[in-house]
Amino acid sequence: MAFPTTPAILTQRDLTPAELGSDDALLRLYAWMFYSRTTDNRILDLFRQGLIKGTVAGGQGNEGLIVPLALLADKSRDVVSFTHRDLGGHLIWSGHLCDHLNQYFANSGSPTKAREGNVHRGDPANRSYPMISHLGAMLSNVLGGADSQRRHGVPAVGFALFGDGGSSTGDIHECFNLAAILSLPVVFLIENNRYSYSTPISEQVAPGAELWQRAAGYGIEGRKLDATDPLAFAAEIAGVIQQVRAKPRPVLVEVNTLRLRGHAAYDTCDYLRPGEQDGFNAADPLPKLRAQLLQTGRTDAVTALETELKDFIETCIQISLNVARPDPASLADSVYAPPSEPLPWQAEPAAPQLLNQAQALNAALRKILSERPESLVLGQDIATYGGAFKVTDGLLADFGRPRVFNTPLAESACTGYATGLALNGHRPIEEFQFADFSTEAVTQIGLNAGTYFFRSGARVPVVYRLPCGGGLTMGSFHSQELESLFLSLPGLKALYPSTPQDAFNALLAAYEDNNPVLLFEHKGLYRRGKSPVAWDPAYRDVWQPSHLRGGDFATVVTYGEMVHLAVEACDYLAGEYEKTFDIFDLRALAPLNLDAIRASLQRTHRLVVIHEGRRTHGFGAELVARLTEEHFFDLEAAPLRIASLDMPVPFAPELEHAYRPTRDSIIAKIADWIG
Ligand SMILES: Cc1ncc(C[n+]2csc(CCOP(=O)(O)OP(=O)(O)O)c2C)c(N)n1
Ligand SMILES: [Mg+2]
C-alpha cells in the first residue's frame, strides 16, 4: 500500500544554528513538536483501544528537548540512540510515519518485522541504534558508533540520551569514563524529568548532588540546560554540538524536561504531590510556543498547519491499521545474520611454523590486523603488556595504538562500545582478561549484540576472546567454563578450539562471521605444546566437529582441554579393554553441527559426552538430549555424561583435581560404564 505524501513542513528535518531566531525556524520547531505530541497522544488512544500491544511510554513533555536536538543533529553522519521519551527524534531522524506506526501496530510492515514493538526500534543503517529495555545499555553503542565514524574520518557527534533514573546504572558511569579516556565526540544528555517511574529524584540522587556535576569527576565538561524553553535550549545545544564536532571531547548536559503523562499508559500517577501535575502542565512548552507563533500574526497558517498534520496522522493510522499481521513463517532463519562470504585472505603463513596455542592466536591476530583495515583489537592490558597471557604480544608495536588499545575495567561499556563499532563497519576483537569477567557484560553480549540481527536486521561482527577453564589453581573466579550460560541466549555463535591450528583457523572464521562470536580459549592449552600452524584454505571447517580417532564401541563427544584428556583415556581403554572409541572434537558449540556424530552413533550405538563445565545445566545436557531425542532406538546403553562437579571451582590443587574430569577419572567412569 502506498504511503500518503508527507506534508511539506515535515520534509524539513534540519535546522541550522544560523536559522535559529527566524520565524521559519520557530514554525518548524512548533510543527515537529505538535506533530510528535499529536502522534504520541493518538498512540495512547490506540493502545487503550487494544490496537497497540505491550505498553506505550509517551514523550509528551519531552518534545522541547528531542525536537530541537534531532533537527540540529546531522542525520547524514551523527550517531544516536533514542529513549522511550523520544518519538519526535525517531520521526525526524528517518522514515515515513507509516513505518513508525507499523512498528507500533507490530504488523508485517514493521521495520523490525514485528519482532520488536513500539519504541524499541531505530534505523541502524542511518546510525540510529535501537534501544533494548535495559537502561544505560545503549550509551556504549553510541560511543562505539561515534568512534567508528571518527576512525572513518567523519566528524560525527554521538548523542547518548538517558533519563534521571538511568543515570544510576553502572553502564552510565563506565561510559562517562570510557568516553573521557578516548576523547570521544559524544554529547551525553540526561533527560531529567525528575521521576524514574514512580520514584522522585530525591530518592535517586543524594541531597545536594547535581547530575551534571558528575562530569567533573570524569574530567569532562558539564552543563545544565532547560528544555521547557525550546528556543533557548536549541541555541545552547547547537553550541554544544558545534563544540564537540570541532574538538572531539565528551560533554555531559543535564536537561530539565517534562513527563506529562506519567511513566506509561497504565500509570495512575497517584504518587504525585498535590498540584504537581498542574505545575508540569504550566511548564509545557508546546502551548507557549504556539502563543509565541500567534504573536507573529500567523494564526491562520498555524491553524492550517495543525489541521494538515492531524489529517496526515489520521490517514497514516488508517493505512497502517490495514497492513497484514506478521506471519510466524518469517521467524525461520531470523536469529543469525546469513553466512558471510569468505574474506580474501592471503595464503600466509605458507610454511608451517611450530607454535603453541597462544602463539597461534597471536599469528592469527597479526594476519587479521595486517590484511583487514577494519579490524581492531581491544581489551585490558593487551597493548604494551601484550595481555595477561601474552596472546597480543607485540601487536601494539607493529600496528599502533589506534588499532590495538587498552581498555579500562569496564567490561560492559567496552563490549557495548565494540557493538557500536561493529554496527558501523569496524570488526573489533575484544579480549576479556579472563572469561569469568565476561559476566560483567552479559547484557551487552547476550541481550544486546546477540539479539541485534533478530531485532533490526543489522549485523554485529564482534569476536569475544575468552580465556577460560581450570586446572591452573586459579579459584572460582578465574577458572570457569561459561558456554552454557551464554549459549542459553539466542544469537551468539561459539567456537572452542583445542589445537594451535584450530585456534588459528577459529579466529579467522570467527572474525569474518557477521554475528557476535564467542571464542573460548582454554588457558591450559595456551602453552600445552607446539605443533605446526600454517594458512589452511579449509579454515572454515572449524565450524564442524573434527574426527580424531576411529572406533566402534562408543561415540565420544568432547571439546576444549577435555579433548586431550579424552584421547589419552580412550587410548588407555583401547589397550586395557580392547574397546575402540570414535572420538569427536566438537570445535563449534553454536551453531551445532552434529551430522557426523549422528552417523557415528548409528554405528556405535553408545554415547559418551565429556566436558569441563559443571554437570547440571552443562553443555552436555544439551548434547545428550539432542542426540538421544533422535537416536533413542539406536542406543544400546544410557548415555554417559562426564563433567565437573556442581559447585564453584575450588582453589587448592587437590580440590580442583577432584572437581574437574581428569584422565584417570574419565578412565574410571568409562570403565564403570562398560561394566
Ligand atoms: C536496568 C533497568 N532497570 C529497570 C528498568 C525498568 N524501568 C523502565 S523505565 C524505568 C524508569 C526510567 O526512568 P528514567 O531513566 O528517569 O526515564 P524516564 O522514564 O523518566 O524518561 C524503569 C525503572 C529498566 N528498563 N532497566
Ligand atoms: Mg525520569
Side-chain angles (χ1 to χ4, degrees):
M1 204 176 289
F3 292 165
T5 306
T6 303
I9 190 118
L10 300 184
T11 60
Q12 298 173 23
R13 295 174 188 248
D14 295 311
L15 192 60
T16 60
E19 287 176 293
L20 286 170
S22 70
D23 286 354
D24 264 7
L26 183 63
L27 189 68
R28 202 175 313 154
L29 263 179
Y30 177 72
W32 279 104
M33 286 174 62
F34 174 87
Y35 173 58
S36 175
R37 173 75 57 91
T38 311
T39 308
D40 253 329
N41 286 342
R42 289 295 286 123
I43 284 170
L44 183 58
D45 296 339
L46 292 158
F47 171 78
R48 289 186 168 145
Q49 289 164 26
L51 295 167
I52 289 174
K53 304 297 178 196
T55 190
V56 294
Q60 295 96 334
N62 195 42
E63 300 91 346
L65 184 159
I66 203 63
V67 166
L69 182 79
L71 288 174
L72 287 161
D74 184 341
K75 274 75 69 185
S76 70
R77 54 189 182 182
D78 290 345
V79 181
V80 72
S81 186
F82 291 116
T83 75
H84 52 293
R85 304 283 172 220
D86 297 345
L87 177 72
H90 283 294
L91 296 174
I92 293 168
W93 202 270
S94 58
H96 187 280
L97 180 58
C98 285
D99 295 316
H100 297 283
L101 290 169
N102 288 346
Q103 166 73 13
Y104 278 84
F105 292 129
N107 61 31
S108 60
S110 133
T112 62
K113 299 190 182 172
R115 293 170 194 169
E116 260 293 8
N118 305 352
V119 78
H120 284 220
R121 70 192 191 287
D123 183 358
N126 287 305
R127 290 151 277 90
S128 163
Y129 294 161
M131 69 181 283
I132 65 167
S133 293
H134 292 53
L135 297 171
M138 305 317 305
L139 266 67
S140 50
N141 296 177
V142 172
L143 266 49
D147 196 24
S148 175
Q149 286 289 75
R150 182 171 66 171
R151 287 166 184 267
H152 289 310
V154 180
V157 174
F159 298 101
L161 295 145
F162 57 105
D164 46 296
S167 75
S168 296
T169 63
D171 256 33
I172 304 282
H173 295 270
E174 290 191 1
C175 285
F176 288 166
N177 192 41
L178 183 64
I181 292 168
L182 299 179
S183 269
L184 298 180
V186 170
V187 183
F188 290 104
L189 270 125
I190 308 178
E191 300 178 338
N192 186 358
N193 53 30
R194 293 164 304 287
Y195 274 94
S196 169
Y197 200 155
S198 72
T199 306
I201 190 89
S202 58
E203 294 178 44
Q204 304 177 58
V205 180
E210 295 262 3
L211 292 175
W212 67 273
Q213 286 178 339
R214 291 180 181 178
Y218 297 94
I220 61 176
E221 183 185 338
R223 302 276 296 273
K224 186 164 188 178
L225 301 178
D226 187 352
T228 62
D229 180 350
L231 291 175
F233 172 71
E236 295 277 357
I237 202 69
V240 173
I241 296 170
Q242 272 179 325
Q243 173 190 320
V244 173
R245 202 182 300 286
K247 185 168 168 285
R249 188 80 197 138
V251 175
L252 170 62
V253 187
E254 176 187 347
V255 189
N256 178 40
T257 186
L258 293 167
R259 194 192 70 172
L260 293 177
R261 309 290 297 248
H263 175 64
Y266 45 72
D267 187 359
T268 51
C269 290
D270 40 17
Y271 48 82
L272 292 180
R273 294 186 304 275
E276 203 174 359
Q277 183 69 48
D278 295 339
F280 294 157
N281 294 343
D284 183 357
L286 194 63
K288 286 193 273 183
L289 213 57
R290 187 174 198 274
Q292 212 173 329
L293 259 179
L294 297 189
Q295 277 167 15
T296 64
R298 296 209 268 173
T299 310
D300 291 348
V302 171
T303 323
L305 178 70
E306 288 171 344
T307 307
E308 185 187 16
L309 293 177
K310 277 193 209 162
D311 289 349
F312 174 65
I313 293 168
E314 293 312 316
T315 311
C316 290
I317 289 172
Q318 288 315 314
I319 287 177
S320 288
L321 270 175
N322 285 311
V323 173
R325 300 303 308 156
D327 181 355
S330 73
L331 285 174
D333 297 328
S334 57
V335 176
Y336 290 126
S340 52
E341 287 298 310
L343 290 172
W345 299 110
Q346 290 168 27
E348 285 171 11
Q353 303 168 331
L354 216 51
L355 303 177
N356 63 31
Q357 187 158 319
Q359 292 167 329
L361 288 162
N362 182 277
L365 288 167
R366 278 180 183 285
K367 180 174 175 66
I368 291 167
L369 285 164
S370 317
E371 297 181 25
R372 305 303 314 172
E374 75 284 351
S375 60
L376 305 167
V377 174
L378 66 150
Q380 289 159 23
D381 304 296
I382 61 106
T384 312
Y385 189 63
F389 299 97
K390 301 290 177 197
V391 171
T392 57
D393 201 23
L395 299 183
L396 173 67
D398 290 350
F399 300 98
R401 177 109 23 217
R403 296 182 66 206
V404 179
F405 55 105
N406 284 336
T407 54
L409 273 77
E411 281 81 1
S412 183
C414 293
T415 304
Y417 160 78
T419 299
L421 286 161
L423 283 165
N424 202 49
H426 282 95
R427 285 183 177 256
I429 303 174
E430 182 182 5
E431 174 175 309
F432 287 82
Q433 196 152 80
F434 286 79
D436 307 71
F437 303 123
S438 64
T439 58
E440 296 289 305
V442 169
T443 301
Q444 287 297 347
I445 296 173
L447 305 185
N448 198 356
T451 64
Y452 226 106
F453 179 75
F454 180 82
R455 292 182 286 122
S456 71
R459 293 159 187 203
V460 181
V462 185
V463 181
Y464 309 114
R465 295 191 35 245
L466 299 158
C468 61
L472 302 166
T473 322
M474 292 187 140
S476 292
F477 307 108
H478 291 77
S479 306
Q480 293 179 92
E481 294 282 272
L482 296 176
E483 63 273 21
S484 288
L485 186 145
F486 279 112
L487 296 180
S488 67
L489 302 170
L492 300 170
K493 292 192 174 181
L495 291 165
Y496 199 155
S498 69
T499 67
Q501 181 70 59
D502 276 357
F504 182 87
N505 290 357
L507 196 44
L508 302 188
Y511 179 78
E512 68 183 17
D513 202 276
N514 284 326
N515 296 279
V517 183
L518 303 157
L519 183 64
F520 292 105
E521 302 171 5
H522 198 289
K523 302 188 291 290
L525 295 180
Y526 277 145
R527 291 178 174 78
R528 197 174 198 272
K530 294 188 177 182
S531 53
V533 175
W535 158 250
D536 172 8
Y539 64 101
R540 284 185 161 210
D541 287 355
V542 77
W543 290 110
Q544 308 284 337
S546 80
H547 189 209
L548 300 180
R549 289 273 198 286
D552 55 18
F553 178 71
T555 302
V556 175
V557 183
T558 185
Y559 55 89
E561 194 191 18
M562 290 298 132
V563 167
H564 301 275
L565 306 190
V567 166
E568 286 173 20
C570 290
D571 284 351
Y572 173 86
L573 289 163
E576 285 292 308
Y577 289 75
E578 294 184 357
K579 302 232 186 283
T580 57
F581 296 84
D582 221 20
I583 309 180
F584 289 89
D585 176 356
L586 210 45
R587 302 199 290 193
L589 306 187
L592 269 175
N593 283 297
L594 297 176
D595 292 352
I597 292 165
R598 288 183 214 288
S600 165
L601 263 188
Q602 281 170 335
R603 283 192 303 104
T604 67
H605 311 294
R606 291 183 189 81
L607 173 65
V608 179
V609 170
I610 307 172
H611 63 73
E612 183 179 334
R614 285 175 275 266
R615 180 182 170 88
T616 299
H617 300 290
F619 199 66
E622 178 65 24
L623 290 171
V624 169
R626 282 207 201 189
L627 292 167
T628 309
E629 271 169 349
E630 290 197 23
H631 294 280
F632 186 74
F633 294 105
D634 290 325
L635 294 178
E636 286 179 12
L640 174 65
R641 194 154 47 115
I642 301 176
S644 288
L645 302 180
D646 289 325
M647 59 178 62
V649 185
F651 180 76
E654 300 80 357
L655 302 184
E656 193 180 19
H657 195 72
Y659 162 82
R660 293 196 328 142
T662 59
R663 171 187 172 276
D664 290 349
S665 72
I666 293 171
I667 291 171
K669 287 209 161 79
I670 297 181
D672 202 34
W673 183 66
I674 293 171

